[in-house]
Amino acid sequence: MKIYTKTGDAGTTALFGGTRVPKHNIRIESYGTVDELNSYLGLIRTQEIDPRSKEILVHIQDRLFTLGAILATDPAKATLKSGKERLNIPKIDEEDIELLEKEMDMMNDSLPPMTHFILPGGNSTVSYCHIARTVCRRAERRTTLLNENEPIDEKVLMYLNRLSDYLFVLARKLSKDTNAEETQWIPKKL
């Protein structure tokens, strides 16, 4: 299989199902940002972090491929003529969202309470986590815009929302694990 097809040379790309759209289409922006997020999660996973976090990140990366496939599917072509769904893969479901919540709860139990906003940073691993969190928020913004024009499964939006929270808590956990300083943001007084 060739990697280059030359079909995108004129600035369009194909959705799953064959529909061609401009590369700046909000649907492309949505799943492209999810792809960017997935790459950052891979970067975090290559750091010296605990095995449980690595395991969960692999699971999340799998779910993000599914989420990207959902976003890359033309809604008008989501169902085949046979009546079957074009995407023959497990979708994002309640259990995926609950896993993120359970992981956050477990991590939060060992963290000091938050009394202020925290400045991103501390060390490279924690910083990568904060970058992933902000990319996740961008993916969520792009996907909510897409949803205004072409409604998508609400679990996709819920998953992205919960994932950004998870990445924030993971950043705090990794700060604690690596003894990195959490710098609080304390606004200057006028």
Side-chain angles (χ1 to χ4, degrees), residues 140 143-144 147 152-161:
E140 183 182 15
T143 305
T144 57
N147 187 57
I152 57 173
D153 183 342
E154 68 180 6
K155 288 185 182 65
V156 167
L157 295 172
M158 292 170 65
Y159 190 80
L160 288 171
N161 183 266

Side-chain angles (χ1 to χ4, degrees), residues 21-171:
V21 296
K23 289 187 177 186
H24 62 270
N25 181 285
I26 189 59
R27 185 170 290 281
I28 308 306
E29 284 286 334
S30 296
Y31 74 74
T33 307
V34 168
D35 187 37
E36 181 183 353
L37 170 60
N38 208 336
S39 297
Y40 275 109
L41 296 185
L43 179 62
I44 297 166
R45 200 166 42 84
T46 65
Q47 305 301 301
E48 293 296 321
I49 63 174
D50 63 284
R52 177 67 182 172
S53 294
K54 285 186 183 200
E55 176 186 333
I56 295 299
L57 287 172
V58 168
H59 178 79
I60 292 168
Q61 286 186 289
D62 171 80
R63 300 289 62 218
L64 287 179
F65 262 94
T66 295
L67 198 147
I70 292 166
L71 294 173
T73 302
D74 180 353
K77 296 186 178 179
T79 305
L80 301 171
K81 289 178 184 176
S82 66
K84 292 184 179 181
E85 287 187 43
R86 181 172 296 281
L87 285 179
N88 189 21
I89 56 175
K91 306 298 184 295
I92 302 297
D93 59 28
E94 200 64 44
E95 289 81 29
D96 295 318
I97 295 163
E98 288 172 2
L99 174 68
L100 295 175
E101 292 171 349
K102 288 175 187 171
E103 290 298 316
M104 279 188 280
D105 290 343
M106 283 191 317
M107 290 186 289
N108 258 331
D109 285 345
S110 68
L111 295 173
M114 236 179 70
T115 57
H116 295 82
F117 286 108
I118 297 167
L119 298 178
N123 63 39
S124 295
T125 303
V126 174
S127 295
Y128 295 148
C129 221
H130 282 292
I131 291 168
R133 173 185 56 80
T134 60
V135 172
C136 187
R137 287 287 189 210
R138 181 163 29 97
E140 183 182 15
R141 291 190 303 272
R142 298 288 193 264
T143 305
T144 57
L145 179 58
L146 171 63
N147 187 57
E148 285 182 10
N149 300 308
E150 298 177 47
I152 57 173
D153 183 342
E154 68 180 6
K155 288 185 182 65
V156 167
L157 295 172
M158 292 170 65
Y159 190 80
L160 288 171
N161 183 266
R162 215 66 89 251
L163 180 55
S164 61
D165 294 336
Y166 168 84
L167 291 168
F168 178 76
V169 177
L170 180 62

